[in-house]
Short mmCIF file of all heavy atoms in Angstrom, two decimals:
data_model
loop_
_atom_site.label_atom_id
_atom_site.label_comp_id
_atom_site.label_asym_id
_atom_site.label_seq_id
_atom_site.Cartn_x
_atom_site.Cartn_y
_atom_site.Cartn_z
N GLU A 23 133.28 165.17 46.25
CA GLU A 23 133.69 166.50 46.79
C GLU A 23 134.46 166.34 48.10
O GLU A 23 134.01 165.62 48.97
CB GLU A 23 132.42 167.32 47.05
CG GLU A 23 131.54 167.46 45.85
CD GLU A 23 131.62 168.82 45.26
OE1 GLU A 23 132.08 169.72 45.95
OE2 GLU A 23 131.24 168.93 44.09
N GLN A 29 134.28 172.27 58.02
CA GLN A 29 133.16 171.36 58.18
C GLN A 29 133.53 170.17 59.06
O GLN A 29 132.77 169.75 59.91
CB GLN A 29 132.69 170.86 56.80
CG GLN A 29 131.52 169.89 56.85
CD GLN A 29 130.25 170.51 57.49
OE1 GLN A 29 130.02 171.72 57.33
NE2 GLN A 29 129.47 169.71 58.12
N ARG A 30 134.73 169.65 58.90
CA ARG A 30 135.17 168.54 59.75
C ARG A 30 135.26 168.99 61.20
O ARG A 30 134.89 168.24 62.12
CB ARG A 30 136.54 168.03 59.29
CG ARG A 30 136.47 167.26 57.97
CD ARG A 30 137.72 166.47 57.68
NE ARG A 30 138.96 167.18 57.93
CZ ARG A 30 139.75 167.69 56.99
NH1 ARG A 30 139.49 167.52 55.71
NH2 ARG A 30 140.88 168.34 57.32
N ALA A 34 133.16 167.50 64.32
CA ALA A 34 133.86 167.03 65.52
C ALA A 34 133.32 167.71 66.79
O ALA A 34 133.10 167.06 67.80
CB ALA A 34 135.36 167.26 65.42
N ALA A 36 130.29 168.93 67.09
CA ALA A 36 128.95 168.43 67.32
C ALA A 36 129.00 167.07 68.05
O ALA A 36 128.19 166.86 68.96
CB ALA A 36 128.21 168.29 65.97
N ILE A 65 130.89 156.08 78.52
CA ILE A 65 130.15 157.24 79.06
C ILE A 65 130.19 157.21 80.60
O ILE A 65 130.43 158.25 81.21
CB ILE A 65 128.70 157.23 78.52
CG1 ILE A 65 128.69 157.51 77.03
CG2 ILE A 65 127.84 158.25 79.27
CD1 ILE A 65 127.35 157.27 76.35
N SER A 70 132.84 159.41 85.75
CA SER A 70 133.58 159.19 86.99
C SER A 70 134.79 160.16 87.10
O SER A 70 135.31 160.33 88.21
CB SER A 70 134.05 157.75 87.10
OG SER A 70 135.02 157.49 86.10
N LYS A 72 136.61 163.50 87.54
CA LYS A 72 136.26 164.78 88.14
C LYS A 72 137.21 165.90 87.74
O LYS A 72 136.79 167.07 87.68
CB LYS A 72 136.23 164.68 89.68
CG LYS A 72 135.26 163.67 90.17
CD LYS A 72 133.86 163.98 89.75
CE LYS A 72 132.88 162.92 90.23
NZ LYS A 72 131.68 162.85 89.47
N ALA A 73 138.46 165.59 87.42
CA ALA A 73 139.40 166.60 87.01
C ALA A 73 138.99 167.21 85.66
O ALA A 73 138.72 166.47 84.73
CB ALA A 73 140.81 166.03 86.93
N ARG A 74 138.94 168.51 85.60
CA ARG A 74 138.42 169.18 84.43
C ARG A 74 139.16 168.86 83.13
O ARG A 74 138.56 168.54 82.13
CB ARG A 74 138.46 170.70 84.67
CG ARG A 74 137.79 171.50 83.60
CD ARG A 74 137.59 172.96 84.05
NE ARG A 74 136.91 173.65 82.98
CZ ARG A 74 137.45 174.62 82.31
NH1 ARG A 74 138.68 175.01 82.55
NH2 ARG A 74 136.76 175.24 81.34
N ARG A 77 138.74 165.22 82.19
CA ARG A 77 137.40 164.97 81.69
C ARG A 77 137.26 165.46 80.25
O ARG A 77 136.61 164.79 79.40
CB ARG A 77 136.37 165.62 82.60
CG ARG A 77 134.97 165.24 82.23
CD ARG A 77 133.97 165.83 83.24
NE ARG A 77 132.69 165.22 83.01
CZ ARG A 77 131.87 164.86 83.93
NH1 ARG A 77 132.16 165.03 85.19
NH2 ARG A 77 130.72 164.32 83.63
N LEU A 90 132.46 156.50 65.35
CA LEU A 90 132.50 155.18 64.77
C LEU A 90 131.15 154.41 65.02
O LEU A 90 130.94 153.38 64.40
CB LEU A 90 133.63 154.36 65.39
CG LEU A 90 135.03 154.96 65.21
CD1 LEU A 90 136.06 154.16 65.97
CD2 LEU A 90 135.39 155.07 63.73
N GLN A 109 105.65 168.62 75.03
CA GLN A 109 104.19 168.48 75.16
C GLN A 109 103.71 168.77 76.54
O GLN A 109 102.69 169.40 76.73
CB GLN A 109 103.78 167.06 74.70
CG GLN A 109 103.91 166.85 73.23
CD GLN A 109 103.62 165.42 72.82
OE1 GLN A 109 103.38 164.58 73.65
NE2 GLN A 109 103.67 165.16 71.53
N ALA A 112 103.82 172.48 76.96
CA ALA A 112 102.75 173.14 76.23
C ALA A 112 101.43 173.02 76.99
O ALA A 112 100.68 173.97 77.06
CB ALA A 112 102.62 172.56 74.82
N ARG A 116 99.22 176.09 78.39
CA ARG A 116 97.80 176.27 78.00
C ARG A 116 96.95 176.40 79.25
O ARG A 116 96.05 177.30 79.31
CB ARG A 116 97.33 175.06 77.18
CG ARG A 116 97.34 175.28 75.71
CD ARG A 116 96.54 174.19 74.98
NE ARG A 116 96.84 172.84 75.34
CZ ARG A 116 97.79 172.09 74.77
NH1 ARG A 116 98.54 172.61 73.83
NH2 ARG A 116 97.99 170.85 75.17
N TRP A 120 94.74 179.71 80.25
CA TRP A 120 93.29 179.64 80.52
C TRP A 120 92.97 180.13 81.93
O TRP A 120 92.00 180.85 82.14
CB TRP A 120 92.75 178.22 80.31
CG TRP A 120 92.28 178.05 78.92
CD1 TRP A 120 92.91 177.37 77.92
CD2 TRP A 120 91.10 178.57 78.35
NE1 TRP A 120 92.20 177.43 76.76
CE2 TRP A 120 91.04 178.16 77.01
CE3 TRP A 120 90.04 179.33 78.84
CZ2 TRP A 120 89.99 178.51 76.16
CZ3 TRP A 120 89.00 179.67 77.98
CH2 TRP A 120 88.98 179.27 76.65
N LEU A 124 90.58 183.26 82.71
CA LEU A 124 89.35 183.11 83.51
C LEU A 124 89.36 184.00 84.73
O LEU A 124 88.32 184.57 85.11
CB LEU A 124 89.17 181.64 83.94
CG LEU A 124 88.83 180.66 82.82
CD1 LEU A 124 88.93 179.22 83.34
CD2 LEU A 124 87.47 180.94 82.22
N ASP A 128 86.66 187.58 82.31
CA ASP A 128 86.10 187.60 80.96
C ASP A 128 85.01 186.53 80.88
O ASP A 128 85.35 185.33 80.79
CB ASP A 128 87.16 187.39 79.93
CG ASP A 128 86.66 187.50 78.52
OD1 ASP A 128 85.52 187.88 78.31
OD2 ASP A 128 87.44 187.17 77.58
N ALA A 131 85.17 184.02 77.88
CA ALA A 131 86.19 182.95 77.96
C ALA A 131 85.61 181.72 78.67
O ALA A 131 85.81 180.57 78.22
CB ALA A 131 87.40 183.44 78.68
N ARG A 139 84.46 172.13 75.93
CA ARG A 139 84.75 170.98 76.80
C ARG A 139 83.57 170.69 77.68
O ARG A 139 83.42 171.19 78.76
CB ARG A 139 85.99 171.24 77.63
CG ARG A 139 87.26 171.46 76.85
CD ARG A 139 87.69 170.20 76.13
NE ARG A 139 87.82 169.05 76.99
CZ ARG A 139 88.92 168.76 77.67
NH1 ARG A 139 90.00 169.48 77.54
NH2 ARG A 139 88.96 167.73 78.44
N ALA A 154 88.82 182.19 93.55
CA ALA A 154 90.15 182.70 93.24
C ALA A 154 90.12 184.21 93.12
O ALA A 154 91.07 184.88 93.57
CB ALA A 154 90.64 182.04 91.97
N ARG A 168 95.17 177.79 92.38
CA ARG A 168 95.97 176.56 92.20
C ARG A 168 95.05 175.40 91.85
O ARG A 168 95.35 174.57 91.00
CB ARG A 168 96.77 176.25 93.46
CG ARG A 168 97.93 177.18 93.67
CD ARG A 168 98.77 176.70 94.82
NE ARG A 168 99.73 177.76 95.18
CZ ARG A 168 99.70 178.43 96.32
NH1 ARG A 168 98.84 178.14 97.26
NH2 ARG A 168 100.59 179.37 96.55
N LEU A 173 92.73 171.67 87.83
CA LEU A 173 91.52 171.19 87.10
C LEU A 173 91.75 171.38 85.58
O LEU A 173 91.49 170.47 84.81
CB LEU A 173 90.28 171.97 87.55
CG LEU A 173 89.04 171.67 86.78
CD1 LEU A 173 88.33 170.49 87.41
CD2 LEU A 173 88.13 172.86 86.74
N LEU A 174 92.24 172.55 85.20
CA LEU A 174 92.48 172.81 83.79
C LEU A 174 93.58 171.90 83.21
O LEU A 174 93.47 171.38 82.12
CB LEU A 174 92.85 174.27 83.58
CG LEU A 174 91.70 175.29 83.84
CD1 LEU A 174 92.23 176.71 83.87
CD2 LEU A 174 90.61 175.14 82.81
N ALA A 181 92.11 165.80 76.94
CA ALA A 181 92.00 166.33 75.57
C ALA A 181 92.42 167.79 75.64
O ALA A 181 92.17 168.48 76.62
CB ALA A 181 90.57 166.23 75.05
N ALA A 182 93.13 168.27 74.62
CA ALA A 182 93.68 169.60 74.62
C ALA A 182 92.59 170.66 74.78
O ALA A 182 91.49 170.56 74.23
CB ALA A 182 94.45 169.86 73.33
N PRO A 187 90.14 182.62 73.12
CA PRO A 187 89.42 183.51 72.21
C PRO A 187 90.15 184.84 72.07
O PRO A 187 90.88 185.27 72.91
CB PRO A 187 88.05 183.67 72.83
CG PRO A 187 88.22 183.32 74.27
CD PRO A 187 89.38 182.38 74.33
#
Side-chain angles (χ1 to χ4, degrees):
E23 305 254 341
Q29 180 62 31
R30 288 193 317 253
I65 292 169
S70 68
K72 301 299 178 204
R74 187 168 181 246
R77 188 176 191 140
L90 302 174
Q109 289 174 357
R116 262 194 311 272
W120 269 105
L124 291 171
D128 184 8
R139 296 296 304 274
R168 289 186 191 114
L173 175 88
L174 292 169

